[in-house]
Amino acid sequence: MKKKGFTIIELMVVIALFGVLITVLTTVVIQAIQGANRASIQNEVRQNAQKVFSDLGTEIRKASCLTYSSSGTTNTLSTYSDSGCVNSVATYTSDGGAKTFTKTIGAFPPINLLSTQVAPVSCGVSGSSCGTASCTTNGFTVTGYDGSPIVGNYPNAVKVTLTVQQTPGQTRSDFCGIITLTDTFTPRN
């Protein structure tokens, strides 16, 4: 009489095949989730950078003149409504140490223009660059359109560079969302 059922070898082969299939499917699912997270991070960083850059461009175009100063990890751009650079309309401050990018209008308190998930890149500040990204520029720089430094009241076209990243510690070390935007703006004079 012949017994019905599976041998131990047949059962082990089936279990091994299921193990391989589960391993492959798990790897595919993990990679898909990581890809979606990367896209989400990059999109948030890009949206924040574009919002700030648009606001900056509008203020510079409305200004008659502007001033720019840089001290350590803090960079400040002030726009003025008069040609004598007396009546400040808006002041933008990138503080790499505090990981903020603020706009101040008149006597009102500063408003952080970036979400808490995004910060300006700041070279020279420990832990200010996410992941393994190399730090090549401070997060906010303003120069003359030809690359010359801005000295005193500046009524000419300026080149603005804004580099933002996902806030360090908010991301895994294998991916770092960094966006750099550069454009030239001309005050109305």
Side-chain angles (χ1 to χ4, degrees), residues 71-89:
S71 174
T73 61
T74 303
N75 302 320
T76 303
L77 172 72
S78 295
T79 61
Y80 298 88
S81 61
D82 59 329
S83 59
C85 284
V86 176
N87 299 316
S88 176
V89 175

Side-chain angles (χ1 to χ4, degrees), residues 13 15 25 52 62 86 95 109 119 126 134 138-139 154 156-157 159 168 173:
V13 167
I15 290 172
L25 288 176
V52 169
K62 291 189 319 186
V86 176
D95 187 344
S126 177
S134 61
N138 279 329
Y154 199 80
N156 300 324
K159 179 180 175 184
S173 61

Side-chain angles (χ1 to χ4, degrees), residues 137-169:
T137 182
N138 279 329
F140 176 57
T141 56
V142 181
T143 61
Y145 69 93
D146 59 355
S148 62
I150 292 180
V151 179
N153 302 342
Y154 199 80
N156 300 324
V158 293
K159 179 180 175 184
V160 179
T161 302
L162 177 66
T163 305
V164 296
Q165 67 183 357
Q166 183 179 17
T167 305

Side-chain angles (χ1 to χ4, degrees), residues 2-189:
K2 198 171 186 182
K3 293 184 179 181
K4 292 184 180 183
F6 301 106
T7 65
I8 192 78
I9 301 288
E10 292 170 330
L11 289 174
M12 288 176 61
V13 167
V14 169
I15 290 172
L17 287 174
F18 277 126
V20 169
L21 282 173
I22 289 173
T23 303
V24 169
L25 288 176
T26 302
T27 303
V28 168
V29 168
I30 288 172
Q31 287 176 349
I33 291 171
Q34 287 175 341
N37 286 341
R38 282 188 193 106
S40 174
I41 290 167
Q42 198 72 4
N43 190 36
E44 181 175 357
V45 172
R46 181 178 292 108
Q47 284 178 349
N48 272 263
Q50 288 174 337
K51 178 186 102 179
V52 169
F53 211 62
S54 173
D55 190 62
L56 254 168
T58 300
E59 287 294 338
I60 291 172
R61 287 185 192 104
K62 291 189 319 186
S64 292
C65 68
L66 45 96
T67 59
Y68 175 73
S69 64
S70 181
S71 174
T73 61
T74 303
N75 302 320
T76 303
L77 172 72
S78 295
T79 61
Y80 298 88
S81 61
D82 59 329
S83 59
C85 284
V86 176
N87 299 316
S88 176
V89 175
T91 300
Y92 293 88
T93 304
S94 172
D95 187 344
K99 298 177 181 65
T100 60
F101 191 91
T102 59
K103 177 180 181 180
T104 306
I105 301 173
F108 293 103
I111 303 165
N112 192 8
L113 296 177
L114 296 172
S115 77
T116 57
Q117 302 294 316
V118 180
V121 171
S122 181
C123 295
V125 175
S126 177
S128 67
S129 188
C130 63
T132 58
S134 61
C135 194
T136 58
T137 182
N138 279 329
F140 176 57
T141 56
V142 181
T143 61
Y145 69 93
D146 59 355
S148 62
I150 292 180
V151 179
N153 302 342
Y154 199 80
N156 300 324
V158 293
K159 179 180 175 184
V160 179
T161 302
L162 177 66
T163 305
V164 296
Q165 67 183 357
Q166 183 179 17
T167 305
Q170 297 287 330
T171 186
R172 291 176 35 159
S173 61
D174 62 347
F175 179 74
C176 183
I178 295 180
I179 297 289
T180 299
L181 300 175
T182 301
D183 204 350
T184 301
F185 302 107
T186 305
R188 66 180 160 96
N189 292 332

